[in-house]
Amino acid sequence: MLKLIKSHKHIALIFSLVLLIAIGAKSYTIATSYPDTGINQDGLSYGSAVTADTEESEPELIAAEATNGKLGYVLKTELQKAEGDDISNPNEAVAYMKAKDAKCAKAFSESISKQTDEQVSLTPEQYEYVVDSFFTDSQDAQSILQKLNVKHSKSQSSKIIQEALYAAQNANIHEINVYKKDGKTVIGVFAVN
């Protein structure tokens, strides 16, 4: 959850934060403080992961805010699976990242196609190049769309790219249940990217 050493997660987090700031998206987070901690009637620990010294000492039900604004708990096992923490070897990690990249490329392409009535289909490598060009090389949206041979209005270039980036970012969101402290009663969902 709140690990400091997972480079692919840091890169994804930084990319997500840049996207969220750039396009004004709402973010959902693990609750950093929560008044209720303890053990429920089924013997599951509940509370905040922020105060845990290690992943092993995190509670089984981790305090979180649902997309509907309600405060509750996510199951640690469901959160770990949604974050890809169940990956156990390099081959699985490569397959996991390739699948995520393919979903992003598809969502980005579909968004541009929908907005412009032009058929766009990028490979994950092409998508990565476009993102790097936009964020790292500071290429403007109009130049990127021209390279993709997309006919568009100059005034709409930034909007088209921003919406496509937003679609790509959301392509890998997994929703997991948010529960009351009983770990059974669902009160909302938590978005994990």
Side-chain angles (χ1 to χ4, degrees):
M1 275 35 76
L2 300 175
K3 297 178 186 174
L4 295 178
I5 304 175
K6 279 210 174 176
S7 62
H8 75 278
K9 285 186 181 178
H10 275 133
I11 291 168
L13 176 62
I14 290 167
F15 178 71
S16 296
L17 288 173
V18 168
L19 275 177
L20 291 171
I21 291 166
I23 58 183
K26 184 174 181 184
S27 173
Y28 303 103
T29 58
I30 293 288
T32 55
S33 63
Y34 208 75
D36 223 3
T37 61
I39 306 288
N40 72 12
Q41 70 278 8
D42 291 331
L44 297 175
S45 59
Y46 58 90
S48 174
V50 174
T51 57
D53 294 330
T54 65
E55 185 175 349
E56 290 76 27
S57 66
E58 291 174 350
E60 294 156 296
L61 290 162
I62 298 173
E65 180 180 352
T67 57
N68 62 10
K70 292 183 180 180
L71 296 178
Y73 302 88
V74 294
L75 282 168
K76 178 179 175 178
T77 53
E78 290 178 3
L79 183 61
Q80 288 173 327
K81 184 170 177 65
E83 290 179 330
D85 285 357
D86 60 341
I87 295 171
S88 60
N89 63 58
N91 290 337
E92 286 180 6
V94 168
Y96 176 81
M97 292 308 293
K98 282 185 177 182
K100 285 183 73 142
D101 292 346
K103 284 181 184 177
C104 288
K106 181 179 180 191
F108 184 87
S109 299
E110 287 174 352
S111 177
I112 290 178
S113 295
K114 182 179 176 183
Q115 294 178 73
T116 64
D117 292 326
E118 297 277 338
Q119 187 59 37
V120 176
S121 181
L122 298 178
T123 65
E125 293 79 16
Q126 291 168 322
Y127 165 73
E128 186 176 319
Y129 171 78
V130 167
V131 171
D132 286 345
S133 297
F134 190 69
F135 288 107
T136 307
D137 300 338
S138 300
Q139 286 190 20
D140 60 66
Q142 183 179 350
S143 298
I144 291 170
L145 291 173
Q146 285 173 342
K147 287 182 181 177
L148 296 174
N149 295 319
V150 173
K151 296 174 187 160
H152 63 285
S153 161
K154 278 184 170 182
S155 64
Q156 295 294 310
S157 300
S158 291
K159 179 182 176 280
I160 292 167
I161 293 293
Q162 287 175 348
E163 286 186 19
L165 288 170
Y166 184 70
Q169 180 206 15
N170 288 327
N172 286 301
I173 287 180
H174 301 278
E175 289 185 339
I176 59 174
N177 289 329
V178 176
Y179 303 93
K180 288 185 175 182
K181 66 183 171 187
D182 63 9
K184 296 176 185 174
T185 307
V186 177
I187 60 170
V189 295
F190 181 76
V192 181
N193 190 351

